[in-house]
Amino acid sequence: MRAVTFYNTLGRRLGPFEPLELGKVRFYTCGPTVYNHAHIGNLRTFLFEDLLRRGLRFLGYEVTQVMNVTDVDDKTIREAAAAGLSLDDYTAPYIDSFFEDLDTLHIERAEEYPRATHHIPEMIAMVESLVAKGYAYVADGSVFFRIAEDDDYGRLSGFDLAEVRQGERVASDEYDKEDVRDFVLWKGAKPEEPSWDSPWGPGRPGWHLECSAMSMRYLGETFDIHTGGVDNIFPHHENEIAQSESTTGKPFARYWLHAEHLIVDGEKMSKSAGNFYTLKELLAQGVEPRAMRYLLSSTHYRKKLNFTLEGLADASAALRRLDEMRFRLDHAREEAAEPSLVAATGEALERFTEAVADDLNVAGCLGTVFGFSKKVNVAIEAGELGPGDRERVHRLLARFDELLGVLDPAAWQPAETGEAGDDAAIDALVAERQQARESRDFVRADEIRDELAALGIAIEDTPQGPRWKRQ
Ligand code: AMP
Ligand code: ZN
């Protein structure tokens, strides 16, 4: 197990991460609100959480991750009513769609995906406890959290309560609040809305309450890490802390990690701007899921990620370069008497591991992969591969891929096209030869032709460009 540093939004600083239980990490992730398909911004955050999970495991920790599914809130209720469907019937296809998207991007499954509608009793119990302790009050069938009772409120987000005038009333449907700053725990049902029986009459949980109740149900009153996108910091996570700590009198999550947003062509993604993408739309346009995973991983999670189609093309090209190295490695002879990549593999693993432990610096990890790949290519071209080098490199790539999940082309091919990973690498070599010819580097072009011929691949130059076939 390796020491790791994280940036904790709580306290706003980088520091050592120490789980409650040695070597074991319990973390909670705000999941999707299933009123629509996830967009690629949501998926960037879910992929960050996948990298966090894999990164911790890479460093030797045992991980338990819980991600909720918000299947009841204002949006799901509104859209289900508009569609004339029950809440369950309306959300079911979006829940399926969410899991499909996870699979498409090779995002590992969390240990639990609790649904809000399956945990209403726990939520009611929490509200009862808050009312009993004086942290909450009932007003006209709804229950509100009394912020004035919570001295710590605002410590996650830096939100200054004093700036909101006490007692001010706002024009909203929460007009029964004692204080404008209070937030709703339980919403009394309006006519026709889905509802559950409670001590305060029929109603439904507020969104913040859902996450508090489900995280504590599966991870305990105090757990290690809570994650989400930066938009969750306020009010969602601030309110989760207020409710949870007021209920238990104990610290809630100890580390809060937040992923910055994905933007598109430098702008906020929005339906009205026409730059709003779902993964499924991009796949229909022929986008490679593997390039998508690579692109979404390649910017540090605390930086905004600017999604562009050129960025995706660059991601594909970067992966091709790595595939080409793998392909060459598989077919190169180990001619040298001594291995030549022992030191390089050791150093690369060390550097990669340091980057993982440094606040999950996946961009740094990728930099190490490319530096290492260059060294392998140089060794192959110089005829310096020696005993065990091929296996040594493969083992290291497999170890890197425990975190990255993009390096093995075969893992991204449908089962029936076993040779497709090789095909992509051959395409890349043929393209490289063509480039060499165009820049009149005939020596290099012939080298590649010979290299391919040795593998039983023949190139034919046609007026439409080069073609290749297996002989
Ligand atoms: P939602 O389905 O709206 O509850 O959001 C699911 C997750 O996606 C939350 O953790 C949000 O913080 C995150 N999220 C929403 N918009 C973006 C975005 N543009 N970029 C990255 N993450 C986002
Ligand atoms: Zn949440």
Side-chain angles (χ1 to χ4, degrees):
M1 220 171 33
R2 175 106 168 196
V4 51
T5 299
F6 284 134
Y7 182 84
N8 192 349
T9 307
L10 190 61
R12 311 231 160 212
R13 60 176 163 263
L14 270 172
F17 165 71
E18 280 155 19
L20 277 171
E21 216 181 313
L22 191 70
K24 294 194 176 158
V25 181
R26 286 176 286 153
F27 86 92
Y28 183 84
T29 297
C30 289
T33 308
V34 284
Y35 72 107
N36 207 332
H37 298 285
H39 59 61
I40 56 172
N42 303 136
L43 291 167
R44 184 212 183 175
T45 295
F46 301 147
L47 183 59
F48 147 66
E49 286 142 354
D50 179 57
L51 292 166
L52 176 62
R53 164 190 177 85
R54 288 168 178 254
L56 285 164
R57 249 196 352 238
F58 183 93
L59 298 172
Y61 297 85
E62 208 179 286
V63 174
T64 306
Q65 180 191 7
V66 175
M67 182 190 263
N68 72 296
V69 173
T70 301
D71 60 352
V72 51
D73 79 325
D74 292 343
K75 287 181 259 180
T76 42
I77 289 177
R78 187 186 64 218
E79 298 297 323
L85 293 172
S86 72
L87 204 49
D88 268 356
D89 287 345
Y90 180 77
T91 57
Y94 296 118
I95 295 176
D96 292 346
S97 166
F98 161 70
F99 285 113
E100 278 164 25
D101 287 348
L102 297 190
D103 290 346
T104 300
L105 293 177
H106 291 204
I107 291 175
E108 285 182 359
R109 294 293 166 100
E111 278 59 38
E112 300 280 353
Y113 289 97
R115 289 174 56 168
T117 53
H118 297 180
H119 294 79
I120 305 288
E122 290 94 320
M123 296 171 198
I124 291 177
M126 218 176 133
V127 179
E128 282 183 299
S129 156
L130 286 166
V131 172
K133 291 184 172 121
Y135 286 110
Y137 58 93
V138 183
D140 199 21
S142 293
V143 186
F144 296 94
F145 186 86
R146 188 176 273 133
I147 276 193
E149 286 296 316
D150 183 4
D151 298 337
D152 276 349
Y153 192 86
R155 72 198 166 95
L156 179 73
S157 59
F159 180 80
D160 186 358
L161 269 184
E163 282 180 12
V164 183
R165 270 169 292 150
Q166 258 189 51
E168 186 183 321
R169 303 254 161 200
V170 270
S172 80
D173 62 352
E174 292 175 359
Y175 47 79
D176 293 315
K177 291 197 282 192
E178 284 175 1
D179 185 325
V180 66
R181 306 169 309 177
D182 293 347
F183 62 88
V184 72
L185 297 165
W186 182 264
K187 290 190 172 186
K190 296 192 186 127
E192 310 289 315
E193 277 185 354
S195 64
W196 288 262
D197 285 336
S198 81
W200 319 284
R204 61 187 163 95
W207 173 41
H208 315 307
L209 180 74
E210 295 181 7
C211 281
S212 284
M214 288 187 277
S215 57
M216 292 200 285
R217 156 79 172 73
Y218 288 91
L219 296 171
E221 293 176 338
T222 304
F223 55 90
D224 298 305
I225 304 179
H226 196 312
T227 66
V230 286
D231 57 306
N232 289 153
I233 299 173
F234 185 83
H236 185 49
H237 289 165
E238 195 70 67
N239 290 354
E240 279 190 47
I241 294 176
Q243 307 159 147
S244 305
E245 300 195 350
S246 301
T247 303
T248 65
K250 295 178 190 155
F252 181 48
R254 301 164 59 242
Y255 296 83
W256 291 79
L257 272 56
H258 291 102
E260 248 302 348
H261 274 175
L262 175 141
I263 51 177
V264 174
D265 294 325
E267 286 177 34
K268 190 170 183 289
M269 188 166 44
S270 77
K271 283 197 170 137
S272 51
N275 63 0
F276 183 96
Y277 292 112
T278 65
L279 182 60
K280 290 181 170 73
E281 283 161 359
L282 289 170
L283 296 182
Q285 290 171 27
V287 163
E288 269 182 284
R290 187 178 170 216
M292 197 66 198
R293 180 175 171 102
Y294 180 98
L295 180 65
L296 294 180
S297 311
S298 60
T299 298
H300 191 268
Y301 75 91
R302 285 195 290 114
K303 293 205 176 107
K304 283 198 171 58
L305 187 154
N306 186 23
F307 176 85
T308 61
L309 293 174
E310 298 88 78
L312 253 182
D314 291 346
S316 287
L319 287 168
R320 287 290 94 76
R321 288 206 301 281
L322 294 174
D323 290 351
E324 196 180 318
M325 179 274 283
R326 183 188 284 268
F327 178 78
R328 281 191 168 138
L329 178 74
D330 283 344
H331 297 93
R333 271 193 235 114
E334 291 181 341
E335 291 170 309
E338 297 294 324
S340 67
L341 290 170
V342 176
T345 44
E347 278 161 24
L349 179 59
E350 183 49 33
R351 217 169 301 137
F352 187 98
T353 310
E354 267 169 26
V356 181
D358 175 17
D359 195 27
L360 197 66
N361 179 6
V362 178
C365 293
L366 288 169
T368 299
V369 172
F370 281 99
F372 174 69
S373 167
K374 206 179 244 174
K375 287 190 180 157
V376 176
N377 277 326
V378 167
I380 293 171
E381 274 170 39
E384 284 173 357
L385 283 197
D389 277 338
R390 193 187 342 266
E391 263 313 298
R392 193 165 287 119
V393 174
H394 275 304
R395 270 199 307 273
L396 185 64
L397 293 177
R399 177 85 176 111
F400 287 164
D401 223 21
E402 288 171 22
L403 173 80
L404 299 172
V406 290
L407 298 181
D408 181 6
W412 292 82
Q413 297 302 329
E416 61 273 19
T417 56
E419 284 180 329
D422 276 1
D423 287 3
I426 296 167
D427 287 342
L429 277 172
V430 170
E432 196 185 327
R433 170 177 169 270
Q434 189 62 10
Q435 241 175 21
R437 277 160 57 95
E438 279 160 18
S439 49
R440 309 194 69 74
D441 182 355
F442 296 112
V443 176
R444 179 75 191 123
D446 287 349
E447 256 174 32
I448 296 174
R449 175 187 281 266
D450 293 347
E451 197 177 325
L452 287 169
L455 305 171
I457 308 290
I459 304 182
E460 189 193 344
D461 290 305
T462 75
Q464 289 78 39
R467 296 216 182 105
W468 62 265
K469 59 174 189 291
R470 292 190 166 81
Q471 288 177 316

